[in-house]
Amino acid sequence: MPLAAAKPKKRHVEMIAAAARVFARRGYHGASTQDIADVLGIRQASLYYYFQSKEAALEAVCIVGVEDYAKHAQAIAIQRASAADKVAQLVFRHLAPLADRQDYTIVFLRERRFLPRSARERIRSIERRYERLIERIIRQGIDAGEFRADLDARMATLALLGLGNSATAWYGREPGVTLERITRDYVDLLVRAFRKGAAPVFSLDSWRRRG
C-alpha cells in the first residue's frame, strides 16, 4: 500500500478508536462529536471528514468490533484441528478484546440498540455470519462423534456467546481474576458440557415433580 494511502487509513482507525472510547465511557446519548474531537485533539468540523454524524461513528465502531470476531472465527473454522480445540480458540478470540479493545465490546453490546433499524440490520448480518461459523464448528464436532449426539448446536452457540459476553460486565472487578483464568475456566466449562459422554444434569420434568 502506498504511504499516501496508508496515512488516511491509519487516521480513520484512530477516529474509530476515539469514538469507541467516548461511547464506552459516556454512552451514545451522553456523548457528542465534540467529545470525540477532543480526544483526538482536532476541531469538531474535521471529524465530519470521516463521519457524517454521531450515528455513523457509532455504526463504524460496532461494525469494526463484530467484524473482528467473524474474521477470527472464519480462520478457526478452516483449520485442521479438533472441535474442542476450535471451541477453545473461539473462546480465546472472543475474550481477547477485553485486554486491549474492551471499548469496542462495550459499545457493541450496550449501544448498538440506539442505531436506526437499517444500521442495526447491517451489523446483525455480520453477527449472524459469526454465529453460523460457531454453530458449524460445533456441528462438526457432533458429526465427528467428538461432541454429544444430543447436543443442540444452536443452543450451544448461544451459550458460548452468552458466557463470553457476560465477562464484559464484570472483567476487572473481581480481584485476582485474570483474562487467562477466565478463558481457561470458560473453555473447561464449555468443552466438558459439549463432549461425548457428558451426562445431562438437568431435567425440567424431574424439577417439576419436585415442586
Side-chain angles (χ1 to χ4, degrees):
M1 180 184 295
L3 185 59
K7 286 183 177 179
K9 183 176 180 180
K10 180 181 178 183
R11 190 58 169 162
H12 190 242
V13 169
E14 292 171 349
M15 294 282 182
I16 296 175
R21 178 180 173 186
V22 170
F23 290 139
R25 285 156 179 73
R26 294 178 175 267
Y28 177 67
H29 291 300
S32 68
T33 52
Q34 183 62 61
D35 294 326
I36 300 172
D38 289 344
V39 169
L40 293 161
I42 62 174
R43 293 183 299 110
Q44 185 181 25
S46 300
L47 193 66
Y48 292 110
Y49 176 78
Y50 297 92
F51 303 123
Q52 294 182 346
S53 63
K54 185 174 76 166
E55 180 183 288
L58 176 60
E59 182 179 356
V61 172
C62 291
I63 286 177
V64 167
V66 73
E67 276 185 338
D68 198 49
Y69 289 126
K71 178 185 71 176
H72 287 302
Q74 178 66 52
I76 293 167
I78 63 175
Q79 289 181 10
R80 296 175 63 87
S82 68
D85 185 61
K86 289 182 179 181
V87 167
Q89 291 186 63
L90 287 169
V91 174
F92 170 77
R93 287 298 182 183
H94 196 90
L95 294 173
L98 293 180
D100 55 5
R101 290 166 60 90
Q102 189 171 11
D103 290 341
Y104 288 87
T105 305
I106 291 171
V107 173
F108 175 77
L109 292 175
R110 298 179 185 173
E111 308 300 323
R112 74 183 187 275
R113 60 197 170 110
F114 298 120
L115 287 168
R117 182 174 179 177
S118 58
R120 292 199 309 273
E121 278 302 311
R122 285 190 289 271
I123 293 164
R124 180 60 184 145
S125 67
I126 304 170
E127 192 177 13
R128 281 194 291 265
R129 176 158 54 92
Y130 179 41
E131 291 174 4
R132 285 194 297 269
L133 286 164
I134 297 172
E135 190 170 344
R136 190 200 333 172
I137 289 169
I138 293 171
R139 196 172 298 282
Q140 287 171 349
I142 297 169
D143 293 342
E146 186 179 347
F147 292 160
R148 294 172 12 227
D150 65 339
L151 183 65
D152 185 316
R154 177 61 181 169
M155 291 294 289
T157 297
L158 296 176
L160 187 153
L161 291 170
L163 195 60
N165 290 342
S166 70
T168 304
W170 56 265
Y171 175 64
R173 300 178 187 175
E174 292 292 318
V177 178
T178 64
L179 189 56
E180 181 181 358
R181 178 182 167 188
I182 298 170
T183 304
R184 183 184 66 244
D185 288 354
Y186 278 14
V187 168
D188 185 61
L189 283 169
L190 290 167
V191 172
R192 280 177 183 268
F194 294 173
R195 269 187 172 149
K196 188 176 181 180
V201 296
F202 175 76
S203 166
L204 188 58
D205 288 339
S206 68
W207 280 93
R208 281 173 175 162
R209 288 195 294 271
R210 292 184 190 185

